[in-house]
Amino acid sequence: MATVLISSLIVTMINVMIITAEAALDPLCGASNEWFCSPTDFDHSDAQEQVFPSLTLRAECDPAYYNHGAQTAYAHSSCAHGPTCADCLYRATQIMREYCPGKDGAQYGNEECCARYEKNNFCGASE
């Protein structure tokens, strides 16, 4: 009987930890600890670098303009934990920079933060 109770308690604790971790994830940024790159590149090589500052400022699905004919990318980033937010978003942009160089869309998310940008309006933000 005690073994059954301990097993049930362990399963309950694991389920609570999983639900808590999933609740911290932002649905606009995808699954935890995953990155994604668009298959296409920006038209201009420095456009991606112009979008990253918007992501590190906790963009709430905002247009991020890059200076090539006032073109727009859409940026979204969020954090689950305030004190480490800036560091986490900086790491997220570094991962996108490393794995998605020049791509016109990318995302990265983990349990602490997430960041995503695309040329397409993926979040319904008005222009």
Side-chain angles (χ1 to χ4, degrees):
M1 182 72 167
T3 304
V4 171
L5 287 175
I6 291 173
S7 297
S8 177
L9 178 61
I10 291 171
V11 168
T12 301
M13 288 172 50
I14 289 171
N15 286 337
V16 167
M17 287 187 291
I18 290 170
I19 290 168
T20 303
E22 287 178 354
L25 298 179
D26 187 316
L28 291 176
C29 293
S32 178
N33 293 316
E34 291 187 1
W35 54 270
F36 169 80
C37 302
S38 167
T40 57
D41 292 336
F42 273 116
D43 297 335
H44 300 277
S45 60
D46 64 335
Q48 184 183 41
E49 291 303 318
Q50 293 177 23
V51 172
F52 285 148
S54 295
L55 293 172
T56 58
L57 297 173
R58 294 184 66 177
E60 295 294 330
C61 254
D62 295 328
Y65 299 99
Y66 52 101
N67 297 321
H68 299 291
Q71 295 181 28
T72 306
Y74 292 87
H76 176 76
S77 56
S78 66
C79 293
H81 305 291
T84 60
C85 181
D87 291 338
C88 187
L89 291 175
Y90 177 77
R91 284 192 311 275
T93 60
Q94 293 302 310
I95 288 168
M96 289 187 286
R97 182 178 281 118
E98 179 180 347
Y99 292 108
C100 306
K103 297 300 180 185
D104 65 6
Q107 71 182 32
Y108 175 77
N110 64 30
E111 290 81 12
E112 294 179 30
C113 72
C114 69
R116 177 179 177 181
Y117 73 89
E118 289 185 27
K119 278 179 58 176
N120 299 322
N121 187 348
F122 65 92
C123 55
S126 60
E127 294 185 43

